[in-house]
Amino acid sequence: MCRLACFLGMPIQLADLVTKPKRSILTQSYDARERQPHTVEHLTKPNLNGDGFGVGWYSSNSDDKTPCVFTSILPAWNNTNLSRLAEKVESPLVFAHVRAAYPGMPVSEQNCHPFVCGKYMFMHNGNIGDFLKVRRSLLSALREDIYNTCQSFHSDSAVCFAVFLNQLDDLETEYSPTELSRKMNQCMRVILESSKEAGCKESSLLNFVVSDGRTVVATKFSDSGCSASLYMSSGTDYQPFNADSEEDFHVIRSSYRTRIAMVASEPITACPSAWTKVPENTMIIMSREKEGDVNVAFSPIQVEGGLCAKVPLLKVQSYKVLESVEAGQGLKASTSGEVPLTREFIGRVRREPDNIMTGHSGGVLSLTMDGDVMYSGGVDGKIGVWDMDAFSGRLREMVDVQPCGPVMSVATAGGHLLALVGNLVVFYDKNSLELEQDRTVRLPNCGPLMALGAGGAVVAFGGQDCVLRAVERDGAEERCKIASQAHNSFITSMIMLGGLVCTGGADTMVKVWDAETMEMRSSFRGHKGPIASLAKSPDGGRVFSGSRDNTIRVWDMEEMCCRHTISGHSNDVIALEFLKAGEDKEFLCSISLDRTCRFWDVHYTCIQLFSLGMEPTASVLGESTLYIGNESGQIAEWSLDFVEESPGDTSTPHSPRLSSLDSFNRHFSMFSAAAPEKGRDSEMVQTLKDFIAIPSISGNVENEEDCFCAAKFTSRLLEKCGAVTKMIKPEGKNPVVLARFEADPDAPTITFYGHYDVQPANEPTWKYNPFEVTTVDGFFYGRGTTDNKGPILAFVYAVRELIDKCGGIGRLPMNIALLIEGEEENGSGGFKETLCANPHWFKNTELIVISNTLWIGKDRPCITYGMRGMITLSVEVYGPEVDLHSGNEGGALKEPMTDLVKILSSLQDSSNEVLIPGFYDGVNFEEVREKIKMFESLEDSIDMGKYAQSLGLDPVSDCSFAELLSKKWLMPTLSIVEIRTGGSNGGFGRQEPKWKPGAAKSAMSMWNGATRYLEPQDDQGSHFCFGPTRFSVIPHKVTGQISIRFVAKQDPRKLIRAVKDHIETSFRDLGSSNKVNVKVHNIGDAWEGDESHHIYQAAAKALKACWGDTPLYTYEGGTMPVTSTLEKTLQAPALLLPMGQSTDNPHLANERIRSINLFQGKNVMRALMEEVAAVVRQ
């Protein structure tokens, strides 16, 4: 049986793989030791591999993509040219192969591996069972160009390579690691299908290795379940034992990073702890990452009926692929030592530690603290024991670990000190520091262990073989538990969470396991690079993960989703520590290869930064000190005196009021089916108070945690009512809550839409605290009472009452689903993606209910059956490269501001009629006139004088109220909403707040710190308020923003084209040397319902039953694009059923909802569900 080996990493001499190691591929050509039982007799014999050999390599020059190969039919041990060549050639990617031919298989150079075609190189160990029976069918399926490249028709390996090439679209296409692994999967499937069709009896051994120069894909596979041997090894370096001797090589693992990776039929080096035996039917994908690192992923090859299953393989995260395809240039690393002062940084920088401790002769790989004693593990194979009760740390003892090797991790458990060394878990007595040999855990063929977690009686560990293991000591008995293939790549980090084990892998995943059963509880996706570090909050409610994608993610362990992503570092986040000082101070500490340590407050704003000077390798938190180990063997001591200076924040997202649901659970636990209606209403009011207390302001970075808390509150409320719930957090957006009350999977469904996010409450005219419900004269005042937290609660409590009335969820007349988002006030980002990705939650939707509009007056209920759409666009006029002085240059040029004003003035006449040709196309004026007549019945709903007064205007012109409504509801309009000067984008779009380092902050919001006012900063961007010198400046660029509202029957694309044509024509008529640019920022769909639909009749019946009056059918001039999105996606009609009065002040100061409207709104929703169920049954 053949032997093969492949190396990927930093450049090495071919001799380092082929000739020098004791178990080199040359040695394996005459001393192959591992033979597997096989149905083909000659494959099991310990014969020599002397029927030829080959080596192949890629150049270190990235521009040279084609490999070079040297092959010969001479035995490898007897070819002097091989030894000479191997001493002179260096390469970062090497293939080596020694051949043992079948009986009857020709011995020729055409049959020697590796095979080459274009940029691809390929080798094989094994066979195709009954090859002669299947050869013709395999060759006949090849494309003409691939058939002509087949190096030999006599060799099953050469034919396998041709079959692989046949899966490629062409030989020049750049494939990602994921795509290349799928091509290999397809190749194996074709071979096995052909063998099955030909009735082959012999089993096939398909140990393939293929590369395109960037990625290596290796397989270990047999259709009989007994594959040829294959091992893999990885580490940070590959070198001789010492500089003076080259008698053998070893793979060094001195950090979580992987700089080299190898696969081989047998271990190349003598140290067994460096090699992992590849599991049966497994694919290994090795790909290059940033800074020359290597990503290694394991993927099980699924077998169905003897064939490779057509299943998608894991996604291999490759930094090179991500940079070029997914993330632009977003993953650039920095190790310059320069402190990157990012926008988020508002604190100070420290550049010198308080103390430096030395003791290790190599890098410090791990640190752990146990009371006043700190333990350190080093590359030098020693454990340092440090007394920390002195003024500065003092080295007590250096323990030589046996067997010697890098100490990847140290931890304490009970009276034991634990260390990971190679493939061993070593136990020491913590007091005497004597080795407890009887406890040592030995794991042959698993490769080096990299991550260790200890908690209570459980010790968990994992590493290169991707397997999670745990040892639990019960009295005198030890039990070992295993989670096979826990990750698709190395397990690099681990923490204990009570009875759970949390692991981070090089496959970018964070996973949570039951420590007792080793069953996976949850898996977290989101990072775009390997996980390098994990930490937890003291209560275990949050887990923090640091990654090689330079970010930190915050995972909620109750909702099992991402709460926040923290950016700021410019290289790997290699360590995380959580610091809690007192009741109201929490800080997350992150250490990065960008040579900085950052401290983040509860809003995840960086408030303190340490400039480390050297590359960090490990950290641990003391009582008031942070200890950071580095690559030189030093441990730096940094005092955390800034903690005492930092003010507490009683309104933080982590305060009991916001992060705890105790009060909610307390009042909701009293909810009883037997409670009278008034008691039920009082419970709803208490729930409203708790809900309003969460300042869930979307678009404000300081309230992101509040938005998460509001989503969690909503989810918990629905769970208490009996719903199945799910929280989904779109990237960079607030969570979406999905819920379903399912009576019958095949029954119709009512879907309710709402949003828990609210507008800011910065207006100084608030009479009451906007985030505390205040009851005055029968009204509930507070931000979100009417928009939209109050209506959400009314619907939820209506569902609860209907469940009680029916006798349980299973007896509901129809299914009920809810979709509650947290970005409605900020553009509904992530809403549509979540809706489309989870259609099963809204299966069989018959009706969509939305309560996010208002009555037209105060006393009569309404049904909204139409809303206008919206187009936002900007007109930018620019000319000079810089701003000019009006005294020096005024009158000498066409000024951008003057041109813009002339353009904008051409859009409308003095009576607000829009002058753009085609602007009113699509408007049915006859229908408008008919509806004006219908609106005349609403004349008594509003006082025109008071209406004008509410707007701060003189009495409105002599138009009637019906005509006013038609202008607001039924006609397209154009409004100029803003003019700005300067800035590359005109200042439009979402803008992050800017802190001025060192400056005192302005006063907090008058209401309990709900919103911070930031001191304004002057910059080169957009300007609103001009100081005295701005009056003399001619801006080089000006931008006007326009808001267009259009009606349902208009085509927004045609409308945009008409606006652009008009602006370009008007500008051309000016004869200006400036330039104009029109940019569309957003389009929101218009919506119109059908008031004759039976759903509207059911709604009218429910409203009349509760309010005793026939509802009004009204439009709204505003825009809510989610309505049309929901209708189109769920293929069901939408019903807009407002609860609040026209005077409720949504988005304004003193927002409110009348208590009777809230309670009756609940009753209307319950009656509506019953009416719709009756209609559907009919």
Side-chain angles (χ1 to χ4, degrees):
M1 188 176 289
C2 306
R3 305 283 90 176
L4 57 78
C6 171
F7 174 94
L8 176 65
M10 77 280 287
I12 62 167
Q13 284 187 354
L14 266 61
D16 295 345
L17 185 73
V18 177
T19 61
K20 288 182 180 179
K22 281 187 176 181
R23 295 296 304 159
S24 69
I25 199 73
L26 186 148
T27 303
Q28 293 180 30
S29 69
Y30 61 80
D31 186 23
R33 295 179 177 177
E34 296 206 25
R35 301 288 181 180
Q36 302 291 348
H38 197 268
T39 57
V40 181
E41 184 179 358
H42 81 276
L43 293 177
T44 65
K45 293 181 178 179
N47 55 335
L48 300 176
N49 297 293
D51 296 326
F53 70 87
V55 290
W57 64 93
Y58 289 88
S59 171
S60 298
N61 180 2
S62 59
D63 295 330
D64 185 358
K65 299 184 181 299
T66 57
C68 183
V69 169
F70 171 61
T71 59
S72 173
I73 60 173
L74 295 175
W77 67 81
N78 199 31
N79 191 302
T80 56
N81 285 331
L82 174 62
S83 298
R84 294 168 180 163
L85 187 70
E87 294 281 354
K88 299 299 181 183
V89 175
E90 285 193 353
S91 171
L93 205 170
V94 181
F95 276 31
H97 188 278
V98 290
R99 184 168 180 257
Y102 286 30
M105 181 75 69
V107 177
S108 66
E109 287 198 10
Q110 285 76 17
N111 292 335
C112 288
H113 310 222
F115 303 105
V116 172
C117 183
K119 63 183 177 183
Y120 292 96
M121 190 156 55
F122 179 94
M123 56 186 175
H124 174 208
N125 178 25
N127 71 301
I128 295 179
D130 292 325
F131 172 60
L132 296 181
K133 291 183 180 180
V134 76
R135 176 172 60 179
R136 179 180 292 273
S137 65
L138 291 174
L139 292 173
S140 63
L142 300 178
R143 303 195 306 263
E144 184 70 18
D145 60 323
I146 301 301
Y147 183 88
N148 292 331
T149 63
C150 187
Q151 191 166 319
S152 170
F153 295 155
H154 300 289
S155 166
D156 57 351
S157 300
V159 172
C160 287
F161 184 36
V163 173
F164 170 78
L165 295 174
N166 202 56
Q167 309 311 309
L168 308 178
D169 299 326
D170 63 74
L171 300 183
E172 299 302 322
T173 299
E174 292 282 344
Y175 292 103
S176 70
T178 303
E179 293 167 335
L180 200 63
S181 61
R182 286 175 178 156
K183 300 299 183 185
M184 176 60 80
N185 194 63
Q186 293 168 10
C187 165
M188 297 171 68
R189 185 175 181 88
V190 168
I191 293 169
L192 295 174
E193 283 179 342
S194 298
S195 297
K196 187 174 182 179
E197 290 171 1
C200 298
K201 301 299 183 183
E202 290 183 356
S203 61
S204 295
L205 277 65
L206 306 181
N207 282 22
F208 295 147
V209 183
V210 68
S211 179
D212 62 356
R214 298 188 311 160
T215 301
V216 174
V217 177
T219 64
K220 178 181 179 180
F221 181 84
S222 171
D223 55 6
S224 66
C226 188
S227 307
S229 61
L230 188 68
Y231 290 80
M232 74 81 52
S233 183
S234 68
T236 51
D237 204 356
Y238 175 64
Q239 57 183 234
F241 272 125
N242 58 67
D244 301 323
S245 171
E246 293 186 357
E247 65 177 9
D248 202 1
F249 282 67
H250 65 163
V251 177
I252 300 172
R253 166 64 71 179
S254 60
S255 80
Y256 68 92
R257 299 174 66 179
T258 298
R259 308 304 296 267
I260 67 102
M262 292 186 284
V263 291
S265 298
E266 298 180 17
I268 297 295
T269 63
C271 181
S273 65
W275 292 86
T276 297
K277 190 173 185 178
V278 178
E280 289 287 330
N281 296 350
T282 297
M283 183 178 294
I284 297 176
I285 305 101
M286 306 188 300
S287 55
R288 298 186 189 279
E289 290 188 357
K290 66 177 183 179
E291 298 182 314
D293 285 11
V294 176
N295 186 299
V296 181
F298 288 66
S299 176
I301 301 173
Q302 303 293 334
V303 180
E304 296 178 356
L307 303 178
C308 298
K310 291 182 179 178
V311 295
L313 295 171
L314 77 158
K315 182 171 184 180
V316 184
Q317 294 286 10
S318 166
Y319 278 79
K320 188 166 185 179
V321 174
L322 286 170
E323 285 184 354
S324 60
V325 179
E326 297 178 24
Q329 299 299 318
L331 291 174
K332 293 182 179 178
S334 169
T335 56
S336 65
E338 294 296 323
V339 178
L341 295 181
T342 61
R343 169 184 51 73
E344 293 86 356
F345 182 66
I346 64 168
R348 60 182 182 175
V349 178
R350 282 183 58 191
R351 300 182 184 275
E352 296 295 334
D354 297 278
N355 184 38
I356 296 289
M357 300 180 289
T358 59
H360 286 284
S361 59
V364 178
L365 297 179
S366 54
L367 294 168
T368 192
M369 189 71 71
D370 188 350
D372 292 331
V373 180
M374 181 175 71
Y375 300 93
S376 58
V379 174
D380 55 8
K382 296 181 179 181
I383 297 176
V385 184
W386 308 79
D387 286 325
M388 308 309 295
D389 56 351
F391 179 75
S392 294
R394 178 178 61 84
L395 180 62
R396 180 200 301 176
E397 187 173 349
M398 275 288 178
V399 180
D400 289 314
V401 177
Q402 297 296 328
C404 185
V407 182
M408 290 299 298
S409 185
V410 290
T412 58
H416 308 287
L417 171 65
L418 294 74
L420 298 185
V421 185
N423 60 357
L424 303 179
V425 184
V426 183
F427 286 73
Y428 288 86
D429 184 277
K430 195 167 64 174
N431 297 318
S432 66
L433 297 178
E434 292 183 358
L435 178 65
E436 299 176 315
Q437 292 191 8
D438 59 325
R439 291 180 177 270
T440 298
V441 180
R442 303 176 186 274
L443 301 168
N445 297 327
C446 84
L449 297 168
M450 302 166 66
L452 174 66
V458 177
V459 176
F461 39 89
Q464 181 171 279
D465 67 350
C466 315
V467 176
L468 173 63
R469 297 175 173 88
V471 174
E472 183 177 13
R473 188 168 185 83
D474 184 9
E477 183 181 348
E478 285 188 348
R479 293 185 297 150
C480 187
K481 297 167 286 188
I482 295 176
S484 182
Q485 193 70 27
H487 285 264
N488 286 320
S489 190
F490 312 151
I491 299 174
T492 55
S493 50
M494 188 180 302
I495 56 173
M496 306 298 289
L497 299 168
L500 303 175
V501 183
C502 184
T503 58
D507 57 358
T508 77
M509 302 279 287
V510 176
K511 297 187 177 183
V512 181
W513 308 84
D514 187 299
E516 176 64 28
T517 63
M518 280 295 156
E519 294 179 354
M520 188 174 71
R521 289 284 189 87
S522 186
S523 62
F524 301 136
R525 303 175 184 268
H527 280 295
K528 294 183 178 179
I531 308 301
S533 53
L534 292 171
K536 64 178 180 178
S537 60
D539 61 0
R542 284 162 288 151
V543 167
F544 307 89
S545 58
S547 170
R548 298 210 63 208
D549 65 6
N550 311 343
T551 68
I552 304 161
R553 284 183 177 254
V554 185
W555 307 97
D556 187 276
M557 299 309 292
E558 289 186 356
E559 297 299 335
M560 294 298 180
C561 67
C562 181
R563 295 178 70 149
H564 195 82
T565 301
I566 308 172
S567 300
H569 285 293
S570 59
N571 208 330
D572 304 5
V573 181
I574 62 111
L576 294 168
E577 305 289 345
F578 192 88
L579 171 62
K580 187 171 179 65
E583 292 299 322
D584 60 347
K585 295 181 184 179
E586 292 183 355
F587 304 94
L588 177 66
C589 168
S590 59
I591 297 99
S592 168
L593 293 185
D594 64 11
R595 302 185 180 184
T596 67
C597 169
R598 291 171 179 260
F599 290 84
W600 311 85
D601 67 8
V602 292
H603 300 291
Y604 304 119
T605 298
C606 184
I607 61 166
Q608 177 73 54
L609 188 146
F610 296 164
S611 179
L612 304 180
M614 297 189 70
E615 189 169 287
T617 53
S619 71
V620 69
L621 197 64
E623 183 175 350
S624 59
T625 308
L626 178 67
Y627 301 94
I628 301 177
N630 64 34
E631 57 190 345
S632 299
Q634 300 173 336
I635 301 174
E637 182 179 332
W638 300 78
S639 64
L640 304 180
D641 51 359
F642 73 92
V643 171
E644 296 301 324
E645 301 170 8
S646 301
D649 190 348
T650 57
S651 64
T652 68
H654 309 321
S655 68
R657 181 178 66 84
L658 295 179
S659 63
S660 172
L661 300 181
D662 289 345
S663 62
F664 161 67
N665 289 332
R666 185 166 55 252
H667 83 252
F668 200 84
S669 64
M670 297 184 296
F671 193 99
S672 168
E677 186 172 342
K678 286 188 177 180
R680 202 56 76 67
D681 289 344
S682 66
E683 289 172 2
M684 183 167 65
V685 171
Q686 183 58 50
T687 305
L688 179 66
K689 289 180 179 180
D690 289 346
F691 206 7
I692 298 301
I694 306 172
S696 47
I697 304 167
S698 57
N700 188 340
V701 293
E702 292 205 354
N703 294 98
E704 288 182 7
E705 284 292 311
D706 295 313
C707 290
F708 189 94
C709 186
K712 197 169 182 176
F713 184 98
T714 306
S715 178
R716 287 288 181 268
L717 172 64
L718 289 163
E719 283 181 0
K720 289 287 185 180
C721 291
V724 177
T725 67
K726 181 179 182 181
M727 264 178 62
I728 299 171
K729 190 176 186 304
E731 188 68 27
K733 304 296 180 182
N734 293 321
V736 179
V737 178
L738 307 181
R740 187 172 177 88
F741 299 87
E742 186 164 276
D744 179 353
D746 298 322
T749 299
I750 288 181
T751 295
F752 177 84
Y753 164 86
H755 64 92
Y756 60 79
D757 64 315
V758 299
Q759 286 282 329
N762 299 333
E763 300 89 348
T765 53
W766 275 92
K767 298 177 182 177
Y768 317 103
N769 186 335
F771 296 105
E772 288 183 9
V773 173
T774 303
T775 307
V776 178
D777 297 331
F779 286 88
F780 298 129
Y781 286 83
R783 177 61 85 219
T785 49
T786 195
D787 184 21
N788 186 240
K789 292 180 178 179
I792 289 174
L793 294 184
F795 185 85
V796 172
Y797 273 77
V799 172
R800 179 61 184 172
E801 290 184 2
L802 185 60
I803 292 171
D804 291 342
K805 181 179 179 181
C806 294
I809 295 175
R811 295 185 178 182
L812 285 172
M814 61 196 314
N815 304 318
I816 301 167
L818 293 93
L819 187 157
I820 313 296
E821 67 155 315
E823 291 280 351
E824 194 273 346
E825 304 289 7
N826 194 43
S828 290
F831 157 75
K832 185 174 182 180
E833 294 79 1
T834 303
L835 176 66
C836 294
N838 297 273
H840 54 287
W841 284 81
F842 315 103
K843 180 183 176 184
N844 300 333
T845 293
E846 287 283 337
L847 172 65
I848 301 158
V849 179
I850 302 173
S851 185
N852 199 25
T853 54
L854 297 174
W855 290 359
I856 192 174
K858 296 181 181 180
D859 303 314
R860 194 169 173 186
C862 300
I863 296 175
T864 304
Y865 71 103
M867 301 187 80
R868 293 188 295 186
M870 181 174 69
I871 301 168
T872 58
L873 55 85
S874 60
V875 183
E876 182 181 78
V877 180
Y878 56 97
E881 292 184 0
V882 295
D883 290 352
L884 303 174
H885 192 282
S886 62
N888 295 335
E889 313 299 340
L893 72 157
K894 294 271 190 176
E895 297 178 10
M897 178 69 81
T898 304
D899 286 350
L900 177 64
V901 170
K902 290 176 181 178
I903 291 171
L904 297 180
S905 66
S906 73
L907 300 178
Q908 293 172 304
D909 63 14
S910 59
S911 62
N912 290 338
E913 190 81 9
V914 179
L915 301 176
I916 298 171
F919 187 82
Y920 294 100
D921 288 356
V923 178
N924 188 330
F925 289 95
E926 181 61 34
E927 184 177 301
V928 171
R929 283 189 287 271
E930 290 177 3
K931 289 186 176 178
I932 288 176
K933 294 179 181 179
M934 182 184 71
F935 293 159
E936 290 174 354
S937 63
L938 307 179
E939 290 285 356
D940 297 333
S941 298
I942 192 167
D943 184 297
M944 292 290 285
K946 289 184 178 180
Y947 170 73
Q949 186 179 1
S950 70
L951 300 180
L953 301 172
D954 292 331
V956 180
S957 62
D958 55 359
C959 72
S960 67
F961 181 59
E963 290 172 332
L964 178 67
L965 291 181
S966 70
K967 291 179 180 180
K968 289 172 52 135
W969 293 351
L970 306 179
M971 296 295 290
T973 59
L974 182 149
S975 302
I976 300 166
V977 295
E978 199 164 53
I979 295 178
R980 293 190 183 184
T981 66
S984 59
N985 67 346
F988 301 128
R990 181 174 179 176
Q991 301 213 358
E992 301 290 349
K994 296 183 178 179
W995 291 92
K996 192 172 183 178
K1001 300 168 191 171
S1002 301
M1004 301 294 281
S1005 167
M1006 67 180 74
W1007 302 119
N1008 204 21
T1011 303
R1012 290 185 183 180
Y1013 292 96
L1014 309 182
E1015 184 170 307
Q1017 297 186 68
D1018 190 19
D1019 57 19
Q1020 298 303 314
S1022 305
H1023 302 283
F1024 291 94
C1025 302
F1026 303 114
T1029 60
R1030 292 301 302 178
F1031 282 105
S1032 61
V1033 173
I1034 299 172
H1036 72 286
K1037 182 189 297 183
V1038 290
T1039 309
Q1041 189 171 16
I1042 297 172
S1043 173
I1044 296 173
R1045 303 286 176 158
F1046 61 94
V1047 297
K1049 293 183 173 61
Q1050 288 187 292
D1051 185 338
R1053 292 168 298 180
K1054 292 182 179 179
L1055 204 53
I1056 290 169
R1057 184 69 263 165
V1059 174
K1060 284 185 174 182
D1061 288 345
H1062 175 82
I1063 290 173
E1064 290 167 0
T1065 300
S1066 298
F1067 182 75
R1068 198 163 44 244
D1069 292 343
L1070 296 176
S1072 175
S1073 59
N1074 294 317
K1075 296 179 177 60
V1076 67
N1077 180 48
V1078 180
K1079 181 178 180 181
V1080 177
H1081 296 277
N1082 188 42
I1083 301 175
D1085 291 340
W1087 171 79
E1088 190 170 39
D1090 179 6
E1091 66 267 36
S1092 65
H1093 194 283
H1094 62 81
I1095 292 297
Y1096 283 82
Q1097 296 169 10
K1101 189 175 180 180
L1103 284 165
K1104 187 171 183 179
C1106 295
W1107 286 102
D1109 200 352
T1110 303
L1112 300 172
Y1113 286 86
T1114 64
Y1115 277 76
E1116 281 230 358
T1119 304
M1120 195 159 58
V1122 295
T1123 308
S1124 59
T1125 300
L1126 285 163
E1127 279 197 339
K1128 292 174 183 176
T1129 306
L1130 302 184
Q1131 294 294 298
L1135 175 69
L1136 272 60
L1137 204 59
M1139 286 188 194
Q1141 299 170 301
S1142 61
T1143 55
D1144 278 359
N1145 297 328
H1147 294 205
L1148 303 175
N1150 303 308
E1151 180 180 344
R1152 66 183 189 176
I1153 191 170
R1154 191 170 59 165
S1155 58
I1156 191 172
N1157 282 58
L1158 182 66
F1159 302 143
Q1160 284 287 60
K1162 175 196 66 176
N1163 297 334
V1164 168
M1165 289 297 183
R1166 187 182 64 199
L1168 172 67
M1169 288 184 277
E1170 293 176 316
E1171 291 290 342
V1172 171
V1175 170
V1176 171
R1177 282 197 299 269
Q1178 293 174 4

